[in-house]
Amino acid sequence: AAPAGAGDRVKIHKAWLVSCVNARAGDVAAAARELQGKKVAPWVKLYVAPASSEVQAEAEQSGDWQVLLDAGAIPLPPGCGACAGLGAGTIEAGEVGIAATNRNFKGRMGSRDGVVHLASPSVVAASAAAGYIVPPSTVAIGATADWVGESLVKELDIQHSSRGLESTELARELPELVSGFPRIIEGELLWCGADNISTDGIYHGRLMYEDLTPEQMADAAMENYDPSFSSTVQELRRGSGHGSVLLAAGCNFGSGSSREQAAQCLKYAGLGGLIAGSFSATYTRNALNNGLPIFESMELVQYLKDHFGSGTEASIERPTVRTGLRLRLDLAAWQACVVPVASAPKAAQEDVGSSKAVDQGAGRMFPLVPIGPVAQELLACGGLESWIRRELGATCSEGAANGTGAFQQ
């Protein structure tokens, strides 16, 4: 986004000073300094929601809250709202907004076809008054170029987890498998090639406060990343010999807000396991607690990126790809093997056929990062709830009997 006076300007329709992150008393004061004696542009809606009722009381006492209201801001109550795609003031299709929140994943604040830029409270307030994304008044127009340079967010290299994802360099001291943990998991391979797929992409925040059935959660899985994901999985399961499907994705899978539903929905969708280059720490814990088998292999992910494409959550040519490969996870050896599937769709067969890494159907081996006995035990029991029942005197077989075990076919 370019500021005023730097060529093409970015027109906005909505602005937000909301959320527990950047709607504290100091943030409200910064916005008030920008809006003192000004009005919000006629075509812009500026929404303000304090981080708490205490923050609002402090801002009212200082007079900052009234400055925002006099400028034409629309007040919202404290608590989760537009920043999570809930309630009034969400982004609509075709709209552009600017928000003093900390996350702008595609579709998080409303329509997947809206665009939300992130900025400081001062920039949000200044932009709301101008109707375009502009620097705050404390920045001289002649210093615009410096402001732009200082404000650019450098793309960060993906930081792999401390578990050591350079698996080719791992000392192959393989952990023993605990009782109930499978030696083999296999199924047809589905590829979601974006890095940094967020929990909003996996399970939209607007659904978090709805009491959905497992079937409804399965239908909603990954819909904000790829609306056709659920139907693709169902089609693949119907065409598979025993309905088993494994999902592979890029790096830092499950970034963003922590929510158990982002693991539960994929489990309910019938996925037999999930492989990625890396997972966010919170997603790892939620997956294990809910009995969703997850594994890491940078080498496998890089191979899939090379042959089936990659991208970002907001920009990827083919968000979900039927690879035409069958993946076999040998967990005793901590290796993954891929081989072509004869019954795969023609397009997938052509992708596989162009791959030099799969030699005449003989397969290609990739190392997996081993997981320890505690994680194995959680998965063997079907998740933390079943593990607790077992520790309290129940058994994992009870979980298997009622279908809560992770490895039920």
Side-chain angles (χ1 to χ4, degrees), residues 14-238:
K14 287 177 180 173
W16 299 270
L17 179 64
V18 297
S19 88
C20 53
V21 178
N22 279 331
R24 298 156 294 188
D27 302 318
V28 175
R33 285 193 294 272
E34 287 297 323
L35 288 173
Q36 184 71 51
K38 300 178 183 177
K39 293 290 185 181
V40 173
W43 62 86
V44 175
K45 291 183 178 179
L46 170 62
Y47 296 93
V48 295
S52 66
S53 56
E54 291 82 1
V55 166
Q56 181 169 344
E58 183 178 345
E60 288 174 341
Q61 185 175 8
S62 68
D64 293 329
W65 191 255
Q66 191 60 46
V67 170
L68 301 185
L69 298 184
D70 291 344
I74 303 169
L76 297 174
C80 289
C83 58
L86 304 171
T90 55
I91 194 81
E92 300 291 340
E95 289 184 331
V96 176
I98 187 168
T101 61
N102 65 337
R103 296 186 176 112
N104 63 339
F105 304 126
K106 188 174 183 178
R108 175 179 172 85
M109 294 187 68
S111 171
R112 298 177 75 251
D113 298 317
V115 175
V116 178
H117 299 273
L118 299 184
S120 70
S122 296
V123 173
V124 167
S127 301
Y132 299 85
I133 297 180
V134 299
S137 58
T138 52
V139 176
I141 294 299
T144 294
D146 293 335
W147 178 81
V148 174
E150 293 173 1
S151 300
L152 289 177
V153 179
K154 295 181 179 179
E155 184 176 355
L156 298 177
D157 292 332
I158 294 169
Q159 300 297 311
H160 300 316
S161 73
S162 59
R163 285 190 286 165
L165 295 182
E166 296 299 330
S167 48
T168 54
E169 300 176 2
L170 287 174
R172 303 300 287 177
E173 297 179 3
L174 304 180
E176 294 184 6
L177 302 186
V178 304
S179 175
F181 192 76
R183 296 179 65 87
I184 300 292
I185 301 176
E186 59 183 318
E188 292 199 37
L189 183 60
L190 202 60
W191 171 239
C192 291
D195 289 327
N196 304 305
I197 295 179
S198 67
T199 50
D200 280 279
I202 302 167
Y203 194 82
H204 200 293
R206 63 180 169 76
L207 302 175
M208 289 179 59
Y209 299 98
E210 296 186 23
D211 187 14
L212 303 184
T213 65
E215 293 77 14
Q216 290 172 321
M217 291 180 67
D219 288 340
M222 302 288 282
E223 68 173 0
N224 198 32
Y225 167 76
D226 178 7
S228 65
F229 178 84
S230 178
S231 60
T232 301
V233 171
Q234 293 173 16
E235 180 183 352
L236 194 56
R237 292 188 68 194
R238 286 193 299 268

Side-chain angles (χ1 to χ4, degrees), residues 234-248:
Q234 293 173 16
E235 180 183 352
L236 194 56
R237 292 188 68 194
R238 286 193 299 268
S240 178
H242 51 78
S244 181
V245 176
L246 300 179
L247 174 64

Side-chain angles (χ1 to χ4, degrees), residues 185 267 271-275 279 287-288 291-295 379 406-407:
I185 301 176
K267 183 178 178 180
L271 296 180
L274 176 58
I275 303 91
F279 295 90
L288 296 176
L292 175 65
I294 59 171
F295 306 95
L379 294 175
F407 302 110

